[in-house]
Amino acid sequence: MFDTIILLTGPAEHSVFTTLLRGHNPGLTVLPVFTAADLAAIEPEWLRRARLISFTTNVIVPGALLDQLGYGAYNFHPGPPAYPGWAPSHFALYERASDFGCTMHRMVERVDAGPIVEVEVFSIPPGMNVNALEEMTYTKLVQMFWRMARTLATQSDPLIERAVRWGNNRNSRAAYEKICKIPLTISQDELQHRLHVFGTDHFGIVPSIDLHGFQFRIVMPEDEGQNVGTAVVGS
């Protein structure tokens, strides 16, 4: 019997979303999950009676665990179907996309590949940077969660899937880091575009290198898990 939701998200979202889901289904048990270790600790008997919901998390759910869930798993992706994979807002702005969005989909073993349930698309205002686009997307994604909460909390059958397909270009951290490598032959326009998209907070100042009026040093992330790029002058 469906009576459990495994909620994979951050602590702030968990408290709000738990209240929302249980408001639609007071008998529902909502299990907080924040890490891969938390997922691995769930007993199979809980999985058989549960549905998993993933909301803006970098935790990868193993295919073996997905197979054990009795009522499926759904992910809220902070990007439209055209941008599956890593750092969708960065790639959309880098490619000068005119619109963006967010996606809810059934989870399968491959990340951002399962059948799509819900999509919202919106225009990107002129001059928007990554931080602003991510904030707008997060707001839209929360609104989508609000709309889908009743169905997720009360409907034991699989959710209706739309005839919408993911884009063919699946972006990765390696592709992101490649863009952040700055060749000495780069044009001024391209350099300014990369700085606008990937943020001057990824670049430091060192007086020995000057390129189109910008000065750089290599900045290494303190934590390998951080979603930041390494800026490198030269190739």
Side-chain angles (χ1 to χ4, degrees), residues 143-196:
Q143 292 171 351
M144 181 181 288
F145 190 100
W146 232 259
R147 292 197 303 272
M148 300 302 301
R150 178 183 295 276
T151 300
L152 287 166
T154 61
Q155 179 177 307
S156 59
D157 293 335
L159 276 61
I160 295 173
E161 297 163 359
R162 299 176 57 175
V164 179
R165 298 291 177 263
W166 291 100
N168 294 324
N169 295 326
R170 185 169 297 274
N171 295 309
S172 65
R173 177 167 181 161
Y176 179 95
E177 291 176 345
K178 183 177 180 180
I179 294 173
C180 287
K181 292 183 178 180
I182 310 297
L184 293 173
T185 56
I186 193 170
S187 69
Q188 185 170 3
D189 287 346
E190 174 64 13
L191 177 59
Q192 289 176 332
H193 182 52
R194 293 193 194 186
L195 283 170
H196 172 71

Side-chain angles (χ1 to χ4, degrees), residues 19-177:
T19 300
L20 175 64
L21 292 166
R22 296 196 67 217
H24 292 303
N25 184 353
L28 196 65
T29 297
V30 181
L31 294 181
V33 177
F34 306 114
T35 67
D38 292 340
L39 275 177
I42 300 174
E43 296 291 337
E45 62 185 79
W46 280 100
L47 296 175
R48 287 192 291 269
R49 54 204 288 184
R51 166 176 291 149
L52 185 145
I53 302 174
S54 174
F55 185 89
T56 64
T57 176
N58 291 326
V59 175
I60 303 299
V61 181
L65 189 146
L66 292 174
D67 291 340
Q68 295 180 71
L69 289 163
Y71 299 92
Y74 295 90
N75 179 52
F76 287 80
H77 172 66
Y83 288 93
W86 207 73
S89 56
H90 289 78
F91 285 102
L93 289 181
Y94 182 65
E95 295 171 5
R96 295 181 168 86
S98 59
D99 52 43
F100 198 62
C102 49
T103 309
M104 177 190 171
H105 66 95
R106 179 164 61 83
M107 297 174 72
V108 296
E109 185 171 7
R110 190 184 185 196
V111 173
D112 297 341
I116 292 170
V117 174
E118 187 72 13
V119 177
E120 180 166 351
V121 177
F122 54 86
S123 297
I124 300 177
M128 176 159 282
N129 61 25
V130 167
N131 289 339
L133 181 57
E134 289 181 341
E135 289 177 4
M136 178 180 289
T137 306
Y138 180 83
T139 299
K140 299 291 186 182
L141 207 58
V142 169
Q143 292 171 351
M144 181 181 288
F145 190 100
W146 232 259
R147 292 197 303 272
M148 300 302 301
R150 178 183 295 276
T151 300
L152 287 166
T154 61
Q155 179 177 307
S156 59
D157 293 335
L159 276 61
I160 295 173
E161 297 163 359
R162 299 176 57 175
V164 179
R165 298 291 177 263
W166 291 100
N168 294 324
N169 295 326
R170 185 169 297 274
N171 295 309
S172 65
R173 177 167 181 161
Y176 179 95
E177 291 176 345

